[in-house]
Amino acid sequence: MFSTKITLLTLLFCSYVCANMAPSYPEPGTVWKTGNTYEITWVNDKHAPSIARAWKNFKIDFMTGDNVNQKFLKNVATGLDGTKIKSFNWTAPEVEPHAAIYFLMFSNGKGQNAWTTRFGITGQDGKLVKPEKSVQPDGAKIPWGIGKVVESNGDVSKGTNTATAINPTSSALPSTVEVNDAVASIPVSSGSMKMNLPSFVLFAFILIINTFLYLL
């Protein structure tokens, strides 16, 4: 009986932490040019809960930094309803440096997040420089760096740290774009992560208990 309750709890917990918001553009190898407007898109990845339950009110933030110490640079949009729209147009800001070290984070009010892959933003000359770092702090060979937003009045926004600890490119494959006369590796996301670290640990703990009770 107790085991049955644990199983039910596990299923309910999975239903809560899994999300079906899957950002689809920017995609691997994407390069934007400052001042141009682009369409940010997302799709349903068929996981529970439905977008109608979890993503009727979400925001998109422009981010930079490594996989753990992600830095907020600028809000892209708030109050988005995933049941009514599947895209949002946004004008690429002026940034420093012009490198493939930027990504977008989707967040809802339930503590769930989803990310795009990292992408590049160039100036009017259309050139990118290599990311400052080639290896993540945890040893993963995923290029990254810390960018800044340059406002029209010349002010520079260095960004603020976020508490998010899941990376935007947790499973990466190399994709390349031309960077001046060199080729830089850009991480490719195999799918957006939907579970924050504390939730994952709790979920694993519940599964262990459930397995133990089943073997009794």
Side-chain angles (χ1 to χ4, degrees):
M1 180 66 178
F2 185 67
S3 178
T4 300
K5 291 182 178 179
I6 292 294
T7 300
L8 179 60
L9 178 61
T10 300
L11 292 174
L12 291 174
F13 183 77
C14 183
S15 176
Y16 173 75
V17 300
C18 296
N20 66 356
M21 171 59 70
S24 55
Y25 184 84
E27 62 188 356
T30 293
V31 178
W32 288 357
K33 179 178 289 186
T34 294
N36 289 354
T37 298
Y38 299 90
E39 184 180 26
I40 301 166
T41 62
W42 53 90
V43 297
N44 186 334
D45 69 5
K46 308 302 182 182
H47 288 137
S50 67
I51 282 181
R53 283 187 57 195
W55 296 90
K56 292 188 68 174
N57 183 13
F58 69 94
K59 66 176 181 174
I60 302 174
D61 291 324
F62 182 53
M63 311 287 290
T64 190
D66 64 64
N67 288 350
V68 176
N69 301 303
Q70 301 177 20
K71 291 183 177 293
F72 169 87
L73 291 178
K74 189 181 185 72
N75 177 251
V76 174
T78 57
L80 300 176
D81 186 344
T83 65
K84 296 180 178 179
I85 58 175
K86 294 183 178 179
S87 66
F88 183 82
N89 292 332
W90 190 54
T91 301
E94 177 58 74
V95 296
E96 292 181 357
H98 295 134
I101 57 174
Y102 304 98
F103 55 93
L104 301 176
M105 182 172 75
F106 293 50
S107 306
N108 62 19
K110 299 179 181 295
Q112 298 168 340
N113 302 307
W115 293 264
T116 67
T117 185
R118 286 180 174 84
F119 61 95
I121 298 182
T122 74
Q124 294 306 308
D125 61 5
K127 295 182 178 180
L128 288 178
V129 298
K130 289 183 178 181
E132 179 183 2
K133 307 288 186 179
S134 60
V135 180
Q136 295 285 323
D138 64 0
K141 294 182 179 179
I142 302 175
W144 66 281
I146 298 177
K148 306 172 184 178
V149 171
V150 181
E151 304 295 348
S152 57
N153 60 5
D155 291 342
V156 176
S157 173
K158 297 182 179 180
T160 56
N161 287 325
T162 71
T164 303
I166 299 297
N167 63 46
T169 52
S170 61
S171 179
L173 298 173
S175 177
T176 59
V177 294
E178 293 298 325
V179 180
N180 296 337
D181 295 326
V183 177
S185 175
I186 296 179
V188 177
S189 175
S190 66
S192 56
M193 295 295 291
K194 316 299 189 314
M195 209 180 286
N196 58 36
L197 187 58
S199 296
F200 178 77
V201 173
L202 181 57
F203 182 51
F205 178 70
I206 291 174
L207 287 178
I208 292 172
I209 292 177
N210 190 31
T211 301
F212 175 75
L213 291 173
Y214 177 77
L215 294 174
L216 290 179

